[in-house]
Amino acid sequence: MVDVLLGLQWGDEGKGKIVDFFAKNYDLVARFQGGPNAGHTLYVNDKKVVLHQIPSGVFHPGIINLIGNGVVLDPVTLKKECDIVASFGIDLKKNLFISERTHLILPTHRALDKAAESAKGKEKIGSTLKGIGPTYMDKTGRNGLRVGDLLDKNFTSAYIKLRLKHQKLLDNYNFQEDITAWEEEFFEALEFLKELNIVNGEYFINKHIKDGKRVLAEGAQGSMLDIDFGTFPFVTSSNTISAGVCNGLGVAPQLIRDVYGVTKAYCTRVGGGPFPTELDNEVGEELRKIGSEFGATTGRPRRCGWIDLVALRFACMINGVTKIVMTKADVLDAFKELQVCTDYNINGKIGQEIPFQMEKQKPVPVFKSFPGWNTDTSATKSFAELPDTMKTYVSFINEYLGVDVHYISNGPGRDQIVKVY
Ligand code: GDP
Ligand code: IMO
Ligand code: MG
């Protein structure tokens, strides 16, 4: 069986921490999409670690970690991450596996990302500029290079051919970037990558499943950044939803059991695009300050707002969420009053559906107000001890979504989590 854990909002819901917490119940943790645009924060022996491409099960001895075919992989970032992980005494030769079908991010993909973003001017997506979009474009355009190609003696000539293609595109953008240093790092990192375990990912994972091993698929980004269902065009370039697990790992849909959806107790977004419940005021500022809402990958301040149940119910629907994990509940400890978005008002029409083009239709959120709990909950260990006001907040969310919150995370630490059921 395969369980899935993914983000229900615009990313940074705390997936890394929760995967690290759940990992002990699994034998294999796999990333199925995204790439170094992700930044998953965990605390290991009270030391903060941000993982970008390595699955968040890596700090548990005996657990296998797989980078699936649906991921786009930057060898340079991977090498840096591996060095950090290895400094904790983890032997990646034993517990990290990479699918040969995983597409490679080349230095020119990163340059193309920059060129495309700057050409968009005011309409820019706010990409992390890690080369994600151009690499997925080369995948669907049937041009890309994959990890397995590294073992082919013609790899260098295939690389030069693709770089030339990219150069023409960059010329079209009239964009210049000296990639000499990137390229040097890239080729060095490829030698490192070749020494890791490169496997036939789909056979690898299916054999583990057949042998009765428990698999957790770890999502990156969030459902509202999904290429099909997110706030297009302000999205990432992969399917971040549960369906992405099947083509991002090569597992059949009937093997999927639980889908854990992670949401913050409020909401954030980094980068451009619509965000109906955004608080462009001192309340948003406070959420950012208390929640330390700064991007784990880019350091950019995250936009903050109240929880959006219209968007969350949509995310539960398209993912088939069976259990919800609510993170950063402790961040709301300081607030006297909380708001929850229950409806969208679009040109005077009240509804509960995500419109086709959010940035044009500009939904105005309709809020329901709740009293805050105004107590420090960060040391609480059991659901019974949590304030009644928090329980009321959570049970309203359960009822609205039709899916229950099973865990409440009340701090960034590994053990700061309360089981509801
Ligand atoms: P991810 O991309 O979904 O893994 O999330 P990020 O790591 O980008 O961002 C989540 C941030 O919130 C990190 O700094 C975490 O350490 C932190 N965090 C996670 N869970 C909690 C929580 O329950 N409370 C607080 N205060 N911080 C949390
Ligand atoms: P994790 O896994 C939050 C956002 C970017 C930008 C848009 C497109 O840490 O939750 P891209 O680099 O993919 O071309 O950027 O998506 N974005 C994220 N926002 N968390 C992430 O990952 C993100 N990955 C991409 O800010 O708006
Ligand atoms: Mg993140």
Side-chain angles (χ1 to χ4, degrees), residues 337-348:
E337 192 190 353
L338 311 172
Q339 308 276 356
V340 165
C341 167
T342 56
D343 303 87
Y344 283 174
N345 180 339
I346 301 175
N347 295 324

Side-chain angles (χ1 to χ4, degrees), residues 197-217:
N197 300 299
I198 298 172
V199 292
N200 191 326
E202 54 284 8
Y203 282 103
F204 182 84
I205 197 165
N206 279 292
K207 168 141 192 0
H208 278 84
I209 296 168
K210 211 165 164 215
D211 291 346
K213 305 289 188 211
R214 299 153 302 170
V215 174
L216 181 64

Side-chain angles (χ1 to χ4, degrees), residues 171-381:
D171 290 346
N172 260 345
Y173 277 116
N174 207 3
F175 186 86
Q176 271 151 23
E177 177 97 55
D178 183 3
I179 61 157
T180 324
W182 282 358
E183 224 172 25
E184 218 168 275
E185 269 190 313
F186 177 75
F187 276 99
E188 220 180 277
L190 288 184
E191 290 309 310
F192 173 81
L193 174 54
K194 273 196 233 172
E195 297 303 313
L196 296 174
N197 300 299
I198 298 172
V199 292
N200 191 326
E202 54 284 8
Y203 282 103
F204 182 84
I205 197 165
N206 279 292
K207 168 141 192 0
H208 278 84
I209 296 168
K210 211 165 164 215
D211 291 346
K213 305 289 188 211
R214 299 153 302 170
V215 174
L216 181 64
E218 172 181 1
Q221 290 79 58
S223 305
M224 299 308 286
L225 287 170
D226 181 272
I227 182 72
D228 281 283
F229 300 106
T231 46
F232 190 88
F234 299 95
V235 292
T236 189
S237 299
S238 65
N239 282 115
T240 60
I241 63 165
S242 55
V245 172
C246 297
N247 56 9
L249 292 174
V251 297
Q254 65 269 32
L255 294 174
I256 295 177
R257 190 181 64 171
D258 272 319
V259 179
Y260 289 92
V262 187
T263 173
K264 281 179 184 164
Y266 49 101
C267 192
T268 65
R269 170 164 208 172
V270 63
F275 178 8
T277 61
E278 180 171 15
L279 294 162
D280 195 10
N281 57 20
E282 65 285 356
V283 182
E285 207 42 71
E286 215 179 333
L287 281 170
R288 185 174 311 116
K289 206 170 94 212
I290 301 171
S292 309
E293 295 295 359
F294 295 89
T297 297
T298 58
R300 292 176 292 177
R302 294 177 183 146
R303 301 154 64 191
C304 297
W306 298 119
I307 198 165
D308 180 345
L309 295 187
V310 177
L312 271 183
R313 185 147 73 185
F314 173 75
C316 287
M317 174 179 79
I318 57 177
N319 283 300
V321 172
T322 58
K323 289 172 182 159
I324 290 177
V325 180
M326 179 180 280
T327 57
K328 306 193 91 159
D330 57 299
V331 174
L332 298 184
D333 284 356
F335 293 81
K336 289 212 164 60
E337 192 190 353
L338 311 172
Q339 308 276 356
V340 165
C341 167
T342 56
D343 303 87
Y344 283 174
N345 180 339
I346 301 175
N347 295 324
K349 214 171 146 222
I350 307 285
Q352 298 180 341
E353 280 191 14
I354 294 292
F356 169 59
Q357 270 188 327
M358 252 206 212
E359 87 280 16
K360 293 217 172 103
Q361 285 149 298
K362 296 195 185 351
V364 177
V366 178
F367 287 114
K368 182 174 162 57
S369 172
F370 284 83
W373 36 94
N374 242 234
T375 17
D376 182 353
T377 60
S378 63
T380 309
K381 299 279 176 230

Side-chain angles (χ1 to χ4, degrees), residues 10-13 15 37-40 113 125-130 132-133 219-222 225 235-237 269-272 297 300:
W10 281 279
D12 303 328
E13 297 88 351
K15 300 174 293 292
N37 49 350
H40 296 180
D113 213 356
I125 308 293
S127 164
T128 60
L129 304 177
K130 302 289 177 192
I132 306 297
Q221 290 79 58
L225 287 170
V235 292
T236 189
S237 299
R269 170 164 208 172
V270 63
T297 297
R300 292 176 292 177

